[in-house]
Amino acid sequence: MDRTTQLTIRRTGTTDPARTSGSPAPPGSHEITHSGAHVYDPDRPTGSLHLRAARVLEGNWTGTSTVPSHGLYPHQWSWDSAFIAIGLRHLSPLRAQTELETLLGAQWGDGRIPHIVFNPSVPLDAYFPSPDFWRSSTAGRAAGAPRTVQTSGIVQPPVHALAAWLVHQADPGLSRSRSFLSRMYPRLAAWHRYLLHRRDLGGGGLASVVHPWEQGMDNSPCWDAPLSRVTPAAQRSFRRADLDHGSAEDRPTDLDYGRYVRLATDYRDGGYADGAGEFAVEDPAFNALLIASEHALAAIAQELGAAGTARHARAERLTAALVERLWDPTEGMFFCRDVYGGDARDAGESGALGSDRRSPESGALASERSSSESGAHGSERSSSESGALAPEQRSAESSAHASERRSRQSGAHTSEQRSRAGALIPERSVAGLLPLILPALPRDIAATLVRTAGGPHFGLGGIARLAPSYDLTGHAFDPHRYWRGPAWFNTNWLLERGLRLHGEHGRAEELRAALLETADTSGFAEYVDPYTGEACGALGFSWTAALTLDLLHEPARADQADRADRVDQSTHVVSHPGHRAFDKAQGTPPHTSHASHTTHTPHTPHTPHSSFETGAKGGDRG
């Protein structure tokens, strides 16, 4: 029996982690009841989508983390690992926890989670920019870069608290026995503080990205205008390893790549201090994921015995700031804001993009910033974080606060000299739809986003199989070029969740079916043509496989949450045999999750603020 075959093992008399008695088996699986023994029938599961997705993740596993793909991306990537953990939790909660633990083990002292954690066994010329370019342990010393592991110096979207919470829910007994959340919480809290303080370069309460790679949608046309101010690095100063694995027609141009390298070089040479560069953009997707993860962090705090109410309130204030800074009602979607850009005329804006010129510090936002930084932050630290959490967590939190104070003193002064109003960037990106994942988004805005997603610019549910990364009618649209038109699985997975959260269950189900079909027919491609589903980029891509698994397990997600709540209130801890079989097959260290060996942190019942807290997809999911 091969390793991934054991994923389909079931034990009679126990509950399948992805099923309840009333839910169907995942497509392609085949369960046999036979006298309580481990039984496997190789007939149907052999070619199932579930099993093939599991094999992708097994093939990309390094022993401590999962690479996106061995050829093009041979290291650990930040937001990839968060999405991968969300899918891995259905196969092995232990491996999913390890994925996040490895990533956060490379966190910097100032709180940032680097976008790449480098594998020292991979040759330097296998990927560029390589560790010798970033020089994290030396150039990042003032920012607290780790000495024992090499990383990049930039970040990626903050999906991590959301991933940690969902991973915990997959097996609460295992999570508690390993103190998973109590170890993750102070690191995630420090990560959020870094973004909310060091990266508030626009002064309006939102986090800015200082490099296109940080937002994750590396080559989006949204970056063209702010990048035009950047002098590109000389082509002879670097070698593009990405062209060894893909066609130049599908990748960023040499001119754009030279600008990426220049920005990264200047950031490195400035000691990775924030606010001194030429590029700062407030992105709606990046900030929406920060807000969703802030809700998740509140749920984690509650699981650990704290109140979490200040975090929920902060998430709602950030949602209001997102609307005030980035929403355009006439265009019916959110736009990126070029923090260092000129006024609407200078940026080439017209119509609605130029008419809604709110002052970033006016009205509610000004009071929000003062209360957020003095009141809510202070009150939660004193009551929720300090009072209820373990002493080692309080120590970590204190260290992070000290680092935060130092970073704000050193980094914020530069941004104060720059224009804070900036200008909205008149390019329609899928990032402008992703605030649909937010539970406190005003109902009229959510309804407008749904209409925009199905309209001519994105064609969701109509002319497009999956939502494209960029406007179908836009001047820069290319169905195959990296982030300038192709459809990506992680952004569509987020849209599917957002549609369910706001009651669009029919549209969500259509998108779910399209995602599963496209993952199947494309060989779990990195990205696809939005019209045809034709595979582009790397095949056997990890987050495509992981999110496919999550969608396959979707019908039982609400039942899993209900079962987790019942476990929380009982003296027994559920341990799923399917998870144990997978962990044993991979040689993962054994764990104990029996009540007699587990110390339970008190669970505080609460009313969920979002679908991310329950693991469910929306109102009809429980």
Side-chain angles (χ1 to χ4, degrees):
M1 187 184 303
D2 67 28
R3 290 181 175 182
T4 51
T5 295
Q6 297 197 36
L7 298 177
T8 60
I9 291 176
R10 302 286 184 257
R11 184 192 296 274
T12 304
T14 60
T15 304
D16 178 2
R19 294 177 53 199
T20 62
S21 59
S23 64
S29 67
H30 188 41
E31 182 177 3
I32 294 179
T33 301
H34 180 63
S35 64
H38 287 298
V39 178
Y40 171 65
D41 176 10
D43 185 16
R44 286 172 54 193
T46 303
S48 73
L49 185 60
H50 182 280
L51 187 57
R52 284 184 285 119
R55 283 178 172 153
V56 168
L57 296 179
E58 168 59 24
N60 289 339
W61 175 250
T62 68
T64 56
S65 64
T66 310
V67 298
S69 69
H70 280 290
L72 186 55
Y73 308 104
H75 302 284
Q76 183 180 25
W77 261 258
S78 173
W79 76 327
D80 289 73
S81 278
F83 288 120
I84 289 164
I86 289 170
L88 270 178
R89 67 192 171 115
H90 300 297
L91 303 177
S92 168
L94 180 56
R95 179 174 291 188
Q97 291 177 27
T98 302
E99 184 81 37
L100 296 174
E101 289 164 352
T102 300
L103 178 67
L104 268 68
Q107 186 173 23
W108 290 28
D110 64 2
R112 80 181 75 192
I113 298 175
H115 100 294
I116 301 174
V117 180
F118 289 106
N119 182 344
S121 67
V122 174
L124 289 178
D125 62 357
Y127 180 81
F128 179 85
S130 51
D132 57 341
F133 172 88
W134 294 104
R135 306 171 198 165
S136 61
S137 59
T138 55
R141 185 179 296 124
R147 297 182 179 181
T148 58
V149 61
Q150 293 297 311
T151 75
S152 65
I154 59 176
V155 303
Q156 276 191 322
V159 201
H160 311 90
L162 168 60
W165 178 240
L166 294 179
V167 167
H168 162 79
Q169 289 184 305
D171 194 335
L174 169 66
S175 176
R176 292 171 186 147
S177 71
R178 300 185 69 249
S179 301
F180 172 66
L181 290 183
S182 61
R183 289 184 291 109
M184 291 294 101
Y185 182 86
R187 292 183 176 273
L188 293 168
W191 167 224
H192 284 208
R193 279 196 304 275
Y194 168 79
L195 294 173
L196 290 169
H197 295 294
R198 280 283 299 269
R199 289 301 189 87
D200 183 11
L201 303 179
L206 300 181
S208 292
V209 296
V210 299
H211 195 290
W213 291 340
E214 291 197 315
Q215 193 266 359
M217 304 178 193
D218 306 6
N219 195 37
S220 171
C222 294
W223 319 136
D224 291 354
L227 276 178
S228 67
R229 298 191 296 268
V230 178
T231 302
Q235 289 190 27
R236 64 179 180 277
S237 65
F238 61 92
R239 189 190 76 83
R240 294 184 57 179
D242 63 318
L243 297 182
D244 296 340
H245 304 279
S247 169
E249 289 74 22
D250 294 344
R251 304 292 298 172
T253 65
D254 287 340
L255 177 62
D256 285 335
Y257 215 92
R259 286 169 169 153
Y260 303 154
V261 173
R262 171 66 66 190
L263 280 175
T265 301
D266 290 348
Y267 194 39
R268 177 199 68 198
D269 293 348
Y272 296 110
D274 295 307
E278 298 178 83
F279 185 99
V281 174
E282 294 171 354
D283 174 78
F286 191 100
N287 281 280
L289 288 168
L290 174 60
I291 296 166
S293 281
E294 189 71 14
H295 279 301
L297 203 55
I300 293 173
Q302 288 178 285
E303 166 67 22
L304 296 174
T309 52
R311 290 203 176 276
H312 280 308
R314 185 179 304 127
E316 292 174 1
R317 289 195 302 272
L318 287 169
T319 301
L322 184 74
V323 171
E324 180 165 356
R325 295 280 288 177
L326 306 183
W327 173 248
D328 188 282
T330 304
E331 298 296 327
M333 65 181 299
F334 290 86
F335 288 86
C336 295
R337 181 176 291 276
D338 181 359
V339 173
Y340 300 154
D343 60 22
R345 291 180 300 277
D346 294 336
E349 298 177 13
S350 61
L353 288 176
S355 65
D356 192 16
R357 313 309 305 165
R358 299 181 180 90
S359 170
E361 292 283 4
S362 66
L365 275 182
S367 62
E368 170 209 322
R369 285 177 54 75
S370 61
S371 64
S372 169
E373 295 185 5
S374 62
H377 282 284
S379 65
E380 180 171 357
R381 285 199 299 271
S382 62
S383 63
S384 299
E385 296 179 2
S386 299
L389 303 181
E392 61 270 19
Q393 291 173 276
R394 295 198 297 272
S395 175
E397 296 277 70
S398 299
S399 175
H401 284 299
S403 175
E404 171 198 316
R405 286 193 298 272
R406 290 193 299 270
S407 67
R408 292 177 69 188
Q409 291 170 358
S410 64
H413 294 299
T414 305
S415 66
E416 290 172 0
Q417 308 302 318
R418 313 296 289 266
S419 167
R420 289 189 171 188
L424 293 181
I425 299 171
E427 299 287 0
R428 296 178 180 86
S429 162
V430 70
L433 303 178
L434 295 187
L436 267 177
I437 65 175
L438 301 179
L441 196 67
R443 183 175 301 177
D444 60 328
I445 291 180
T448 301
L449 283 177
V450 171
R451 288 195 297 272
T452 300
H457 298 295
F458 295 95
L460 190 61
I463 59 176
R465 178 178 295 195
L466 299 177
S469 51
Y470 176 69
D471 183 0
L472 294 170
T473 69
H475 67 96
F477 174 77
D478 185 327
H480 291 169
R481 191 179 285 276
Y482 205 63
W483 288 110
R484 299 179 85 84
W488 292 71
F489 287 85
N490 63 331
T491 56
N492 277 270
W493 178 86
L494 288 166
L495 278 176
E496 193 263 358
R497 293 187 72 105
L499 288 168
R500 287 194 191 276
L501 177 62
H502 292 283
E504 297 289 339
H505 307 299
R507 287 186 172 91
E509 188 56 38
E510 289 178 4
L511 180 53
R512 174 179 177 270
L515 278 164
L516 292 175
E517 179 186 5
T518 306
D520 189 6
T521 58
S522 71
F524 303 102
E526 181 182 1
Y527 53 99
V528 298
D529 184 306
Y531 292 118
T532 67
E534 175 189 349
C536 302
L539 300 182
F541 201 70
S542 289
W543 79 25
T544 303
L547 298 178
T548 295
L549 286 170
D550 192 62
L551 292 169
L552 287 171
H553 284 252
E554 178 181 287
R557 187 172 286 137
D559 294 319
Q560 283 180 275
D562 290 341
R563 185 166 65 252
D565 288 341
R566 289 195 298 272
V567 171
D568 289 345
Q569 299 166 16
S570 71
T571 58
H572 299 287
V573 179
V574 172
S575 181
H576 302 300
H579 299 163
R580 280 183 171 274
F582 184 76
D583 295 337
K584 183 177 180 181
Q586 312 315 317
T588 311
H591 64 272
T592 301
S593 58
H594 297 290
S596 59
H597 299 285
T598 304
T599 301
H600 290 269
T601 304
H603 175 73
T604 306
H606 68 286
T607 301
H609 285 240
S610 78
S611 65
F612 295 116
E613 292 183 51
T614 63
K617 294 293 247 187
D620 69 339
R621 296 293 179 179

